[in-house]
């Protein structure tokens, strides 16, 4: 039996090739474009009258409209994070009427994991100080750079949060023979990674050479990396944030860097974003910043559309959907 066509509402803006891919892949259904598309996948969409007809939503739909809709059966957000939707009452409203919620973690896990690994290697191999030398006096710091170079082999990594990005990073780090720990609420085992409960985070921080923050933003994670937890860190440890800027007390982080207790910090996310040019983090010693680009990939739009179409096929057939949250 051929199932009836569904109305797919979308407020995303995709490159031309990805748009054609979406139109072709969803041709059996009615594809409705929002009259108020979002220019950035990190921005929430504004209320849209066309949304009321939607069986399926793709993009960054308005949270209030999603919660109140009686027709919506599935929504997929075009991001790994979903802070604006991450409320018990929102998910309760979806569950009450059997509405599915998926995100796009699978699209961004690989670039985020590679980004974190890149900075670990850059720190270890002294690429950043060498580049600074090149931009400054071009002195030949042969002895210092060789002396300060390190191997990742055998070092300890603690991941704060462990989902799709953490699993991919663990796989990338496996060839180095590192000791991998992760703290998260669900304590079921993961291959090659020691999952630890919250009450053991202090001892894990004290042993970690690298601390990778992958925490999402919610009521329980804001300022999770605070002065107290930073004080537990191993002297000289390196801190990486590819989660959300609001999960870190940035003043406390800067103080640890200025005092030399932390070896370095790499921040792909900050609070606020964009980070104002006058913000002290820009000039904090051994603090390296990228402008929320860890998830970037040249084929992002194609990957997002393919992720959605794969889930659309599963939704139609009743199969397992990728990155299902609810």
């Amino acid at each position: 039996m051929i199932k009836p066509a569904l109305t797919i509402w979308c407020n995303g803006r995709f490159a031309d090739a990805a748009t054609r891919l979406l139109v072709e892949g969803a041709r059996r259904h009615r594809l409705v474009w929002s009259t108020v598309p979002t220019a950035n996948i990190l921005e929430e969409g504004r209320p849209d009258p066309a949304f009321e007809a939607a069986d399926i939503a793709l993009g960054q739909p308005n949270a209030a409209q999603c919660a109140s809709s009686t027709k919506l059966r599935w929504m997929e957000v075009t991001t790994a994070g979903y802070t604006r939707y991450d409320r018990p009452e929102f998910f309760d409203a979806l569950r009450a009427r059997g509405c599915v919620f998926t995100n796009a973690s699978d699209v961004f896990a690989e670039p985020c994991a590679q980004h974190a690994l890149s900075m670990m290697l850059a720190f270890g191999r002294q690429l950043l100080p060498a580049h600074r030398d090149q931009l400054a006096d071009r002195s030949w710091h042969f002895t210092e750079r060789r002396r300060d170079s390190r191997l990742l082999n055998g070092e300890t990594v603690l991941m704060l949060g462990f989902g799709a990005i953490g699993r991919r990073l663990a796989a990338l780090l496996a060839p180095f023979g590192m000791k991998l720990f992760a703290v998260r609420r669900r304590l079921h085992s993961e291959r090659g990674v020691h999952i630890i409960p919250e009450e053991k985070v202090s001892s894990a921080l004290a042993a970690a050479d690298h601390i990778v923050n992958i925490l999402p933003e919610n009521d329980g994670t804001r300022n999770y990396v605070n002065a107290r937890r930073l004080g537990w860190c191993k002297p000289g440890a390196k801190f990486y944030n590819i989660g959300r800027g609001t999960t870190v007390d940035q003043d406390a982080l800067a103080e640890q860097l200025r005092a030399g207790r932390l070896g370095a910090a790499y921040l792909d996310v900050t609070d606020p974003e964009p980070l104002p040019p006058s913000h002290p983090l820009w000039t904090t010693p051994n603090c390296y910043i990228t402008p929320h680009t860890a998830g970037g990939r040249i084929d992002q739009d194609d990957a997002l559309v393919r992720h959605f179409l794969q889930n659309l096929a599963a939704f139609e057939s009743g199969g397992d959907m990728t990155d299902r949250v609810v």
Side-chain angles (χ1 to χ4, degrees):
M1 178 185 295
I2 298 176
K3 295 183 178 180
L6 301 167
T7 297
I8 302 172
W9 173 95
C10 179
N11 72 340
R13 281 184 178 173
F14 303 114
D16 290 346
T19 299
R20 290 193 295 271
L21 179 64
L22 177 59
V23 170
E24 174 62 21
R27 66 185 181 279
R28 199 180 76 77
H29 303 287
R30 177 174 176 249
L31 183 59
V32 176
W33 296 96
S34 172
T35 56
V36 281
T38 56
N40 186 319
I41 64 170
L42 299 176
E43 296 176 358
E44 181 182 17
R46 289 174 287 169
D48 179 17
F51 181 86
E52 302 304 324
D55 298 294
I56 298 171
L58 171 64
Q60 295 294 317
N62 181 267
Q65 278 198 303
C66 293
S68 63
S69 172
T70 57
K71 196 170 188 297
L72 191 66
R73 296 171 56 191
W74 164 41
M75 59 179 289
E76 174 153 315
V77 296
T78 47
T79 48
Y82 46 90
T83 300
R84 66 179 62 94
Y85 311 100
D86 193 8
R87 300 287 184 273
E89 59 272 19
F90 179 84
F91 289 138
D92 287 346
L94 297 191
R95 291 189 185 97
R97 60 175 190 272
C99 182
V100 176
F101 181 99
T102 56
N103 68 353
S105 286
D106 229 38
V107 172
F108 299 105
E110 185 70 35
C112 284
Q114 289 192 24
H115 209 78
L117 174 59
S118 296
M119 290 308 297
M120 288 184 181
L121 289 168
F123 284 146
R125 304 315 306 160
Q126 294 293 291
L127 301 187
L128 297 171
H131 185 242
R132 188 169 60 239
D133 296 340
Q134 182 178 352
L135 296 177
D137 63 0
R138 303 178 187 172
S139 297
W140 197 252
H141 295 289
F142 173 85
T143 302
E144 301 97 310
R145 298 293 167 257
R146 287 181 66 92
R147 181 196 62 210
D148 294 336
S149 293
R150 305 177 66 92
L151 299 178
L152 295 181
N153 304 67
E155 293 196 321
T156 298
V157 177
L158 172 63
M159 287 178 265
L160 304 177
F162 193 77
I165 295 170
R167 281 188 288 274
R168 184 56 189 145
L169 179 58
L172 293 179
L173 294 175
F176 297 101
M178 305 180 85
K179 303 179 189 74
L180 305 180
F181 294 84
V183 57
R184 72 173 179 195
R185 286 172 293 183
R186 291 174 297 158
L187 296 179
H188 61 261
S189 61
E190 294 279 352
R191 184 177 179 182
V193 181
H194 304 282
I195 303 297
I196 62 172
E198 172 63 34
E199 55 266 27
K200 291 189 177 180
V201 72
S202 59
S203 57
L205 285 168
D209 301 291
H210 306 270
I211 301 148
V212 184
N213 179 31
I214 322 175
L215 291 171
E217 179 188 356
N218 55 49
D219 291 341
T221 62
R222 291 186 185 91
N223 270 4
Y224 179 89
V225 181
N226 53 25
R228 178 169 58 95
R229 291 189 175 98
L230 287 168
W232 293 336
C233 292
K234 178 180 182 178
K238 296 174 178 64
F239 175 79
Y240 312 77
N241 192 4
I242 54 173
R244 286 292 180 265
T246 53
T247 64
V248 177
D249 180 339
Q250 294 177 160
D251 291 338
L253 177 66
E255 175 55 33
Q256 290 285 331
L257 289 167
R258 284 192 291 266
R261 289 188 290 270
L262 277 180
Y266 152 62
L267 309 177
D268 184 62
V269 289
T270 59
D271 182 26
E273 291 184 11
L275 195 65
S278 60
H279 197 285
L281 278 178
W282 287 112
T283 54
T284 298
N286 296 316
C287 184
Y288 303 91
I289 298 168
T290 52
H292 205 140
T293 54
R297 47 187 292 180
I298 196 169
D299 63 340
Q300 174 179 291
D301 286 1
D302 282 353
L304 286 170
V305 169
R306 291 184 189 282
H307 185 281
F308 172 76
L309 293 177
Q310 175 185 321
N311 271 344
L312 178 61
F315 182 77
E316 292 178 287
S317 66
D320 293 333
M321 300 176 73
T322 303
D323 292 328
R324 181 165 178 169
V325 179
V326 172

